[in-house]
Amino acid sequence: DAKTTQPTSMDCAEGRAANLPCNHSTISGNEYVYWYRQIHSQGPQYIIHGLKNNETNEMASLIITEDRKSSTLILPHATLRDTAVYYCIVRVSDSWGKLQFGAGTQVVVTP
Amino acid sequence: DGGITQSPKYLFRKEGQNVTLSCEQNLNHDAMYWYRQDPGQGLRLIYYSQIVNDFQKGDIAEGYSVSREKKESFPLTVTSAQKNPTAFYLCASSIGEVAGNQPQHFGDGTRLSIL
């Protein structure tokens, strides 16, 4: 699976949109982009995933560039409960087994 | 509510003891997984199961064992052969089709410590 690069940390003001970037320049045509987050001492929570089209659900939006080498997770109105480590993962469509979590981005939402 | 239940939340083990971590899901998922997370690190796959009565080793299976006798249950035993068992253990499940397009959903974990 392709590797991803994310900023180590970022701050966001409560009520504002949080835009979390992820680079995956070696992504293959059959690899999906997944986003998870992990709040301290809890299990990872699935947020959203996509292949090449932009995706939106009740939690977030995922914007994937046309060349698929990078993506942005958008939390439209950040709340204090969105403070967590956010992980961007790419995964082959026909693979079984592990999700490869990197270091992620520590997002802190401030009042 | 549908979900994945791990128990206990905290577990203490004496040196030389085997312990079993429970994982139950009521999502009707075929595939189940066990991961280990050490402080400040990512998740590492221990075992996974695609279907009842079948399971495969992950990257760090040594010192662990699993069973999959029922679709909803995938217990993990940490044996005395596991030399560094102190960690946060996470169970996950997914629908179980060819898995790349199916998200894994996680339980809230069991924190295992050695006395």
Side-chain angles (χ1 to χ4, degrees):
Chain A
D1 294 341
K3 290 186 178 179
T4 62
T5 304
Q6 298 177 253
T8 303
S9 63
M10 61 185 296
D11 294 337
C12 178
E14 189 177 19
R16 295 290 189 100
N19 296 296
L20 282 64
C22 179
N23 286 320
H24 30 79
S25 58
T26 60
I27 193 169
S28 300
N30 63 347
E31 288 184 311
Y32 284 79
V33 179
Y34 278 78
W35 283 85
Y36 282 79
R37 71 181 183 185
Q38 188 173 23
I39 296 169
H40 184 62
S41 295
Q42 296 183 20
Q45 179 186 23
Y46 165 74
I47 302 173
I48 199 167
H49 74 287
L51 184 62
K52 53 185 176 181
N53 296 323
N54 298 337
E55 302 287 343
T56 296
N57 63 20
E58 66 278 4
M59 288 183 67
S61 295
L62 173 61
I63 309 298
I64 303 173
T65 58
E66 192 167 342
D67 64 7
R68 302 207 327 119
K69 293 185 177 182
S70 66
S71 60
T72 301
L73 178 74
I74 301 173
L75 307 177
H77 304 287
T79 71
L80 300 179
R81 286 178 293 181
D82 291 324
T83 293
V85 179
Y86 287 76
Y87 298 98
C88 171
I89 301 163
V90 292
R91 190 170 184 213
V92 178
S93 63
D94 61 350
S95 70
W96 279 99
K98 63 187 175 188
L99 290 170
Q100 194 107 21
F101 283 73
T105 297
Q106 173 67 63
V107 173
V108 177
V109 180
T110 55
Chain B
D1 287 336
I4 301 169
T5 301
Q6 291 188 243
S7 62
K9 191 171 178 66
Y10 299 96
L11 186 59
F12 299 93
R13 190 190 94 171
K14 292 182 180 179
E15 295 273 0
Q17 278 185 338
N18 294 350
V19 289
T20 297
L21 283 59
S22 170
C23 178
E24 303 278 332
Q25 54 97 0
N26 61 3
L27 300 167
N28 200 33
H29 285 172
D30 283 314
M32 296 187 74
Y33 311 81
W34 275 106
Y35 292 86
R36 167 183 172 141
Q37 187 174 33
D38 293 284
Q41 297 188 29
L43 278 65
R44 291 184 289 168
L45 184 68
I46 304 172
Y47 269 98
Y48 67 99
S49 168
Q50 299 173 8
I51 199 168
V52 174
N53 293 321
D54 185 53
F55 49 83
Q56 286 79 39
K57 292 182 179 180
D59 296 327
I60 55 165
E62 185 174 351
Y64 300 96
S65 65
V66 293
S67 62
R68 188 84 189 279
E69 297 176 1
K70 299 187 293 183
K71 186 176 185 177
E72 60 270 24
S73 178
F74 191 40
L76 174 74
T77 297
V78 184
T79 74
S80 57
Q82 171 49 238
K83 298 306 178 189
N84 186 21
T86 296
F88 189 42
Y89 290 88
L90 289 156
C91 178
S93 70
S94 67
I95 288 175
E97 299 169 15
V98 174
N101 190 25
Q102 299 298 335
Q104 294 180 16
H105 298 275
F106 287 81
D108 276 337
T110 292
R111 196 167 296 277
L112 175 63
S113 300
I114 301 302
L115 295 177

